[in-house]
Amino acid sequence: MRARRVNTLPDAIRNEVARLKGAGFPLLPLGGADGKAPLLRAWARPGVTLARILAPMHRTGSTAYGVRLDGLAVIDCDSDDADLVAQMEARFGQSPVHIKTPRGRHLYYRAAGVVPNLRGEGLPVDIKTGARSYVVGPLSLRPDGGFYDPVKGLLGKEALPCLRGTASLKPAPILTGHRHVELVKEAMRMVELVDSAEELQANLAGIRDDWCADPATMPDSELRDIALWAWTCRLENRVYRGRDSAFSVQRLALDALRGQANGADAIALLVLLEDQHGHHPGKRFPLDFAAMRAAGLINLSTPRLRAARRTLEGAGLLRLAGKHKAGSRPQTFVLTRMHASKADAEKPIAQRVKVQGKQGGGSSITYDARFPTYKSSRRDDE
């Protein structure tokens, strides 16, 4: 006999989700550490059922959901300042639905035309709209206690006016010469929301056809290469998501440090340096232990940090790159990689430690989502 799962979803939220879904609003379940991350990979698909919205919320204990902005526009104010809200309604029209957010206010409208960039005008306001955008829905409660309080009107009951004062012109297309880079960025935004590289390629094809200038000159093979590369990044944990992302630490490096007198300190210092500098191969950086301790990056004493640094240098994981020059230049260091020994290379394949990428032909593609660059090189002998 199986025990029944305890229902942790409050009736008020469950009823509100059901009401809005019944009124035709496309919704999605939210969760994660901040309560604002989609719990469905393909949340932008049409026809997400009520069961698919509620099930992840029940499973994770989430009490937050999102309203997808198909045909809607939301003025998202970072502040609940009455003068700011009045300024927005004077410019874009009165909204009958106001949701007080943990730090500001949401004003709901029907979408109409191209919205302006209010951040570019120096205002602490975003206008969110479109099927690939969403806001946290009314009555949602985030893990940090942030509540989305419907302080005026009822979404789904009040008739929403069109967002006034928006441009009626179509947005400028992505011009030839910029299409590839922009599609790479779109691929990285979508790759964790799709179920396969083929689905990602189909999404990119839609963007190419709808947004790009002269789409007939951009072949499907180019989209396939972008989709396969982005999918590989996802499989290898190379999709950068700010602090919610992964970075690699070589197992050979850990093996070399374990068992040494201060191996634990050296491993802690290595992980910190990989976090701070490992995404820039060959980057030179100083080691100011006092500043690192003051910033709260590591709590080891300076003598222990110096000993850990010497251990990393002795293991070949850290190299002195620039000598100290009094009054003008500090010592600088570079992270280095270990290589498998000949004895290790002679082990059976299943026992080897993989330390390098795929050898031989094929394409090599590099991308850092923080500094969008995309480079594809193909061998001449493939």
Side-chain angles (χ1 to χ4, degrees):
M1 179 177 178
R2 296 179 59 185
R4 296 184 62 185
R5 179 176 295 172
V6 177
N7 179 19
T8 59
L9 189 61
D11 289 343
I13 295 178
R14 183 173 57 252
N15 293 340
E16 183 71 354
V17 170
R19 184 186 69 81
L20 290 175
K21 183 64 179 174
F25 288 87
L27 309 177
L28 64 150
L30 300 179
D34 62 357
K36 297 192 291 185
L39 296 178
L40 294 178
R41 289 179 178 174
W43 59 267
R45 286 180 176 177
V48 178
T49 64
L50 180 61
R52 289 197 68 202
I53 298 166
L54 293 177
M57 297 175 68
H58 280 290
R59 185 173 61 251
T60 63
S62 170
T63 53
Y65 68 97
V67 179
R68 211 172 75 191
L69 302 179
D70 304 55
L72 297 177
V74 167
I75 296 179
D76 181 5
C77 301
D78 284 352
S79 167
D80 196 32
D81 178 69
D83 291 339
L84 178 63
V85 173
Q87 180 185 354
M88 292 299 101
E89 290 195 301
R91 179 171 175 179
F92 298 104
Q94 294 285 325
S95 170
V97 176
H98 288 208
I99 308 298
K100 189 178 185 302
T101 71
R103 66 172 183 173
R105 187 167 291 232
H106 288 166
L107 312 179
Y108 279 80
Y109 300 83
R110 284 189 293 126
V114 182
V115 300
N117 178 8
L118 299 182
R119 294 280 179 184
E121 300 177 20
L123 296 169
V125 180
D126 293 303
I127 300 182
K128 299 179 179 179
T129 186
R132 296 197 304 130
S133 297
Y134 65 90
V135 293
V136 181
L139 300 183
S140 290
L141 179 64
R142 299 196 326 228
D144 62 3
F147 182 62
Y148 290 76
D149 187 10
V151 293
K152 177 183 176 182
L154 188 64
L155 186 62
K157 181 179 179 181
E158 318 296 340
L160 297 177
C162 287
L163 188 68
R164 197 175 66 195
T166 55
S168 59
L169 297 175
K170 294 180 65 177
I174 302 173
L175 299 177
T176 304
H178 298 275
R179 299 178 303 182
H180 191 94
V181 171
E182 292 301 320
L183 286 177
V184 166
K185 294 177 184 178
E186 290 296 326
M188 294 307 287
R189 294 187 187 106
M190 292 188 293
V191 68
E192 294 186 296
L193 306 175
V194 297
D195 295 325
S196 66
E198 290 75 19
E199 182 181 351
L200 180 59
Q201 181 182 344
N203 290 350
L204 293 177
I207 295 174
R208 174 199 60 187
D209 296 341
D210 294 341
W211 296 1
C212 291
D214 200 10
T217 61
M218 192 171 194
D220 290 342
S221 60
E222 187 173 355
L223 302 183
R224 183 176 62 252
D225 287 345
I226 295 173
L228 288 174
W229 166 79
W231 188 254
T232 301
C233 287
R234 172 180 169 179
L235 295 180
E236 295 178 354
N237 286 326
R238 291 191 288 116
V239 179
Y240 182 72
R241 298 181 299 276
R243 299 310 298 172
D244 183 23
S245 59
F247 61 92
S248 64
V249 177
Q250 219 181 356
R251 288 190 174 91
L252 282 177
L254 300 180
D255 293 342
L257 298 174
R258 289 190 183 104
Q260 299 204 30
N262 61 341
D265 290 352
I267 289 173
L269 180 58
L270 175 64
V271 171
L272 173 62
L273 296 179
E274 289 285 1
D275 172 33
Q276 298 293 313
H277 308 293
H279 53 280
H280 289 303
K283 176 185 177 182
R284 297 186 176 199
F285 51 87
L287 282 179
D288 187 336
F289 295 136
M292 292 162 63
R293 287 170 50 80
L297 296 176
I298 197 164
N299 61 1
L300 299 178
S301 67
T302 298
R304 289 175 64 180
L305 287 170
R306 286 175 179 156
R309 183 201 69 200
R310 289 193 292 268
T311 300
L312 294 181
E313 289 181 284
L317 297 168
L318 189 67
R319 176 174 57 84
L320 181 65
K323 294 184 178 181
H324 169 73
K325 185 175 181 181
S328 63
R329 186 175 63 222
Q331 274 187 329
T332 55
F333 297 84
V334 171
L335 287 168
T336 56
R337 302 281 289 179
M338 298 192 70
H339 298 282
S341 65
K342 180 179 179 181
D344 186 66
E346 291 173 352
K347 292 179 181 178
I349 292 176
Q351 298 178 16
R352 294 181 193 168
V353 179
K354 185 177 180 182
V355 296
Q356 294 180 342
K358 181 179 177 182
Q359 302 295 316
S363 298
S364 63
I365 302 174
T366 59
Y367 178 83
D368 187 326
R370 289 165 291 186
F371 312 99
T373 56
Y374 176 95
K375 184 187 300 181
S376 176
S377 59
R378 185 168 294 276
R379 293 174 58 96
D380 295 332
D381 57 350
E382 63 178 1

